[in-house]
Amino acid sequence: MNQLLEKLSACVEFGKIDIKSPYPPSMKDQEGAFELTRSALDAGISPGEILEEALIPAMSRVGQKFSRNEIFVPQMLMAAKAMNSSMTHIRPYYLSGETKRKGTFIIGTVTGDLHDIGKNLVAMMIEGAGWEVIDLGVDVSIEKFIDAAELHPGAVVGLSALLTTTMENMRKTVAILKEKFPHLQVLVGGAPVTTEFCEKIGADFYSPDPQGAVDYISTLAR
Ligand code: B1M
């Protein structure tokens, strides 16, 4: 792998946000995710490569270490912060200049779930594909999804869940949304979600990644 990407990936894995960040002490005074992402882009590495080769694998290593009890929630949080600082440079590349939007996409992480990195990636890429995105954030109650769907008739709704415990909230959210708005298209995703689960809960489509979400929603464009 490119050396710059390797360094960037390590910064996200160990939670090194930027050069001023004192954490982790072993990386003090070194450039962090913020500076290295800028350098990678300036060196002509594409935002897609940065995401696929450095940022996403770093978060996956963080998850594996957390599962093995080698790191704990504070370290996961620092990794997420480092990833977000990197995303400040990447996001503008995905934003669409289109003025006529293809439709409206409402997205949120379901109630009880605070994970937003994957949801933010999906939102960013769908916005980049020309949709107006209403991002409801994390820990989104069913009522909030209902209010947003009422406010934006014809919108497509996307739900993200990262915890096996919040998959049940995803199921409830889909059930109530479908009861209230039978024609509403609901897209689901997140690490524990599968095609089988999507079918079981009556959602319309499951995508394991943002590109799949973009491809699907493009088929629904007005
Ligand atoms: Co948490 N966490 N976490 N965590 N965390 C996981 C998910 C976990 C797998 C780690 C582990 O044990 N290995 C585990 C869940 C286990 C399970 O349920 N089976 C876990 C746990 C247990 C917890 C806590 C319970 C820990 C605790 O407190 N004891 C707690 C729960 C808090 C809560 O939500 N109520 C918790 C907290 C946190 C932090 C807050 C510290 C932080 C989140 C910060 C943030 O998001 N701002 C965090 C992090 C960073 C993770 C890991 C390490 C990384 C998640 C991530 O951002 N991945 C994660 C382990 C892992 O995933 N490997 C873990 C990168 C991101 C790009 O991937 O989100 O999967 P992902 O999104 C992908 C796809 O899934 C897809 O596209 C994205 C790009 O490919 N996708 C969609 C996502 N949403 C989509 C929607 C779509 C379509 C595609 O359509 C609508």
Side-chain angles (χ1 to χ4, degrees), residues 52 55-56 59-68 72-74 76-77 79-80 83-84 105 107 112-122 138 157-166 187-192 205-210 213:
E52 296 298 330
L55 307 184
I56 293 179
M59 292 310 281
S60 159
R61 291 196 296 277
V62 169
Q64 288 157 15
K65 287 198 282 186
F66 182 77
S67 296
R68 296 194 297 262
F72 301 96
V73 173
M76 272 207 295
L77 209 48
M83 170 127 184
N84 280 333
F105 181 61
I107 188 167
D113 201 320
L114 302 176
H115 296 85
D116 68 356
I117 295 175
K119 184 263 299 167
N120 292 345
L121 284 175
V122 174
V138 295
V157 172
L159 307 177
S160 180
L162 262 286
L163 299 170
T164 43
T165 48
T166 55
L187 169 62
V188 292
F205 190 73
Y206 157 72
S207 171
D209 51 41

Side-chain angles (χ1 to χ4, degrees), residues 15-221:
K16 175 72 177 168
I17 300 169
D18 57 23
I19 195 161
K20 288 185 284 181
S21 165
Y23 181 86
S26 61
M27 294 171 109
K28 194 166 178 276
D29 297 330
Q30 290 177 23
E31 288 189 322
F34 184 78
E35 292 82 14
L36 292 173
T37 305
R38 188 65 264 159
S39 304
L41 289 165
D42 291 345
I45 302 173
S46 73
E49 275 175 277
I50 295 175
L51 271 172
E52 296 298 330
E53 291 180 28
L55 307 184
I56 293 179
M59 292 310 281
S60 159
R61 291 196 296 277
V62 169
Q64 288 157 15
K65 287 198 282 186
F66 182 77
S67 296
R68 296 194 297 262
N69 287 328
E70 291 168 13
I71 60 165
F72 301 96
V73 173
Q75 285 101 323
M76 272 207 295
L77 209 48
M78 292 310 289
K81 285 190 175 173
M83 170 127 184
N84 280 333
S85 78
S86 177
M87 291 305 298
T88 55
H89 292 300
I90 299 211
R91 204 165 285 119
Y93 286 81
Y94 286 91
L95 296 186
S96 168
E98 290 186 46
T99 42
K100 164 113 180 54
R101 297 294 187 170
K102 291 178 181 161
T104 303
F105 181 61
I106 298 164
I107 188 167
T109 304
V110 298
T111 188
D113 201 320
L114 302 176
H115 296 85
D116 68 356
I117 295 175
K119 184 263 299 167
N120 292 345
L121 284 175
V122 174
M124 180 181 85
M125 295 204 190
I126 288 187
E127 187 171 8
W131 289 68
E132 182 192 1
V133 172
I134 313 280
D135 187 344
L136 301 177
V138 295
D139 189 17
V140 181
S141 64
I142 299 176
E143 294 70 33
K144 258 194 175 172
F145 279 112
I146 293 173
D147 290 349
E150 258 163 9
L151 212 60
H152 302 279
V156 178
V157 172
L159 307 177
S160 180
L162 262 286
L163 299 170
T164 43
T165 48
T166 55
M167 288 168 80
E168 172 58 13
N169 298 337
M170 180 178 263
R171 185 194 65 73
K172 284 186 192 150
T173 308
V174 173
I176 294 177
L177 282 175
K178 285 285 185 183
E179 190 187 310
K180 283 206 160 271
F181 312 99
H183 300 295
L184 181 76
Q185 286 282 320
V186 183
L187 169 62
V188 292
V193 181
T194 59
T195 305
E196 293 70 41
F197 181 72
C198 164
E199 283 167 5
K200 195 171 132 198
I201 66 174
D204 297 285
F205 190 73
Y206 157 72
S207 171
D209 51 41
Q211 192 53 48
V214 169
D215 293 344
Y216 177 71
I217 201 169
S218 301
T219 66
L220 307 173

